[in-house]
Structures are given as C-alpha cells and as structure tokens.
Amino acid sequence: MRDKIVAGNWKMNNDLAQTEDLLSNIKKLYKEKEGVRVIVAPSFTNLHHAFESLRELPVDVAAQNMNENSDGAYTGEVSGQMLTSIGIKTVILGHSERRAIYKETDELLAKKVNAALENDMEVIFCCGEELGERKTEKHFEVVKRQLEKGLFHVPEANWNKVVIAYEPVWAIGTGETASPEQAQEMHAFIRKTVAEKYGNEVANDVAILYGGSVKPGNAQEIFAKEDVDGGLIGGASLKAEDFMAIVEAF
Ligand code: PGA
C-alpha cells in the first residue's frame, strides 16, 4: 500500500518568529489521521528549529532543495550531509521555481537525486508542464522527459525513497487548479510510465502527489482520485488551519 502524504512547501516565507508561530498552531490543530503522512518544508534557516519543535508529533520536516556535491567550495550551498546531521531525511527536488528561476536542468536534478539517495534521504521529485506546453498538448511528453532524465536512472532498489509530485506550472500560486480529471489523467500517465520502466510493483507503490493551488475547498475532490496520493501544498500550507483542513480532507 502506498503512502498518502500531505506536504507543505513554505518556500521563502517565515522568519524564525513566524516559523515558531506556524509550528505552534500546527501542533495545536494536529490530529493524527490514519494512513496520512504529514510533512512540512521550511527554509534552510528554520529546519533545525522545526525538526526539534515537531519531535513530539509524527510530522516530518523536509528541505526544499540541496546541493548535488558532498562538500567543498560551493559558496552559499547546503549539502545532504548537513541536512541529515540535523535530522532532515527528506528533500524536495526539481520544484518548478528551481527549474525556472534557478535554471536547474534535468541533468543537474539527476545529480541532486543521486546525492540525496547517497545520504539515504527520501526525494520528493517535482515535475510538471508550463501553460504553453499544455496548450500545445505537449504536457505528457514534457513530464515523461522530466522523469526519464531526472529520475529514471535510480535503481529499482532505491524507489522506496522516491515520491513524485506532479505540479502543473500554470496552477502554482495562480489560484487555478487542474481539474480532478486532469490531475488523475496525468497521475495515471506517470504511474504507467513508471510501470513501463520498473514494472507494476514499483509503480503501484510510488506515491504521486498533486500540487498547484490545493486548498481546503478543493482538496477532497482531488484526493478522491485513484492515482492521487496526496498533495504538495504551497500557499495554503502557510496557515495552520488551512493546512490541517487539507490533511483532514483525506
Ligand atoms: P501553491 O504552490 O499551492 O501555492 O500553488 C504549490 C507548490 O508550489 O508546491
């Protein structure tokens, strides 16, 4: 049985005081929901604090990015070893903002995936097409390429450390959500693509999250779809009430 996951991507939001506030509200509102894993991804500076603060709850803390090298002269970067040394065992890689703004390529992401796995970390690997690509019906092709180039070098034995997040770029932070049918269609395609490469068992076990303007009001109908195993939540994860309501939506 694959995991059901609700992960909050806080992006570059929340200083220490705001982080403390959000964490304390999450702790107040958190109710264990059987079979649903909850993850939050604060910025690097708040990871240690979040990890310590959430120790008492079954809520995991993830990084939003990491460097592909193990150490060395990479000013401003953070390695997998640094993350695991403070207890962080999950990292989001390939978010569309990293791809678009920081020019992270499929090839670079493949290296980052390796670095994470070498540190025994779990990877939430993001993929998704831009609006123009959907309009010209290239969305399946684009997502397939992102998977093939960024993820499909991973040996089968490591797939228990892989989560996929499908995030159509046109739905991120725009208020526009893919319809549940559009999400299901792409998630089924992703699962089929994984099955073609790794077989049905790996494909059935991998959690595929949907991301892009998920809110308390639309989470339930999206999560109800067969191949949608949860969500990667941006804006709505910054408010504990909304985030916990999305967890409740399962
Ligand atoms: P959003 O962001 O929920 O604000 O659309 C999702 C994401 O970027 O992961």
Side-chain angles (χ1 to χ4, degrees):
M1 231 347 236
R2 52 188 184 251
D3 284 343
K4 298 213 177 297
I5 300 174
V6 177
N9 174 11
W10 295 2
K11 309 193 180 184
M12 198 177 76
N13 293 296
N14 294 334
D15 62 16
L16 181 58
Q18 291 164 322
T19 296
E20 281 170 344
D21 216 40
L22 182 48
L23 290 170
S24 92
N25 287 328
I26 289 176
K27 287 198 270 191
K28 259 184 240 150
L29 297 173
Y30 180 83
K31 278 198 238 105
E32 184 141 10
K33 184 98 184 158
E34 216 193 304
V36 183
R37 244 182 98 195
V38 179
I39 303 176
V40 294
S43 61
F44 284 132
T45 57
N46 294 313
L47 282 175
H48 185 53
H49 181 78
F51 179 79
E52 292 300 327
S53 162
L54 291 171
R55 257 182 200 283
E56 63 205 71
L57 292 184
V59 175
D60 293 330
V61 180
Q64 299 172 17
N65 179 32
M66 63 177 263
N67 189 269
E68 68 280 15
N69 297 294
S70 55
D71 54 37
Y74 304 102
T75 302
E77 291 293 296
V78 172
S79 71
Q81 158 70 22
M82 292 171 184
L83 294 170
T84 55
S85 74
I86 57 163
I88 305 303
K89 296 201 189 82
T90 302
V91 61
I92 300 171
L93 292 175
H95 190 279
S96 65
E97 286 148 20
R98 301 287 326 163
R99 292 177 187 264
I101 307 169
Y102 301 101
K103 311 289 176 231
E104 293 195 358
T105 60
D106 294 320
E107 291 71 24
L108 175 68
L109 291 168
K111 291 185 190 161
K112 291 192 176 203
V113 167
N114 288 343
L117 294 174
E118 277 158 21
N119 281 286
D120 209 20
M121 294 174 77
E122 170 188 53
V123 173
I124 301 177
F125 183 86
C126 304
C127 57
E129 81 284 357
E130 292 178 12
L131 183 58
E133 293 163 339
R134 179 158 282 262
K135 283 194 169 152
T136 51
E137 301 198 356
K138 296 217 166 65
H139 45 298
F140 292 122
E141 196 184 305
V142 168
V143 168
K144 189 168 186 197
R145 188 209 73 222
Q146 291 171 335
L147 294 172
E148 286 178 344
K149 294 202 161 174
L151 203 55
F152 278 10
H153 62 288
V154 170
E156 186 179 328
N158 284 339
W159 268 71
N160 59 345
K161 295 271 179 194
V162 174
V163 171
I164 296 173
Y166 168 60
E167 300 203 301
V169 180
W170 46 272
I172 296 179
T174 56
E176 192 162 334
T177 323
S179 67
E181 292 69 32
Q182 282 173 320
Q184 168 57 28
E185 186 187 33
M186 182 59 88
H187 283 226
F189 172 78
I190 291 171
R191 207 176 297 286
K192 178 173 120 261
T193 305
V194 174
E196 281 164 6
K197 169 82 180 164
Y198 291 97
N200 284 335
E201 199 176 319
V202 171
N204 285 333
D205 285 350
V206 68
I208 309 176
L209 315 183
Y210 169 80
S213 299
V214 177
K215 299 183 238 5
N218 61 20
Q220 196 157 24
E221 51 174 6
I222 297 172
F223 294 167
K225 291 293 178 191
E226 190 185 337
D227 287 293
V228 178
D229 306 309
L232 182 54
I233 322 296
S237 71
L238 297 173
K239 271 206 189 145
E241 305 78 60
D242 287 356
F243 186 56
M244 295 323 298
I246 291 171
V247 174
E248 277 298 303
F250 261 115

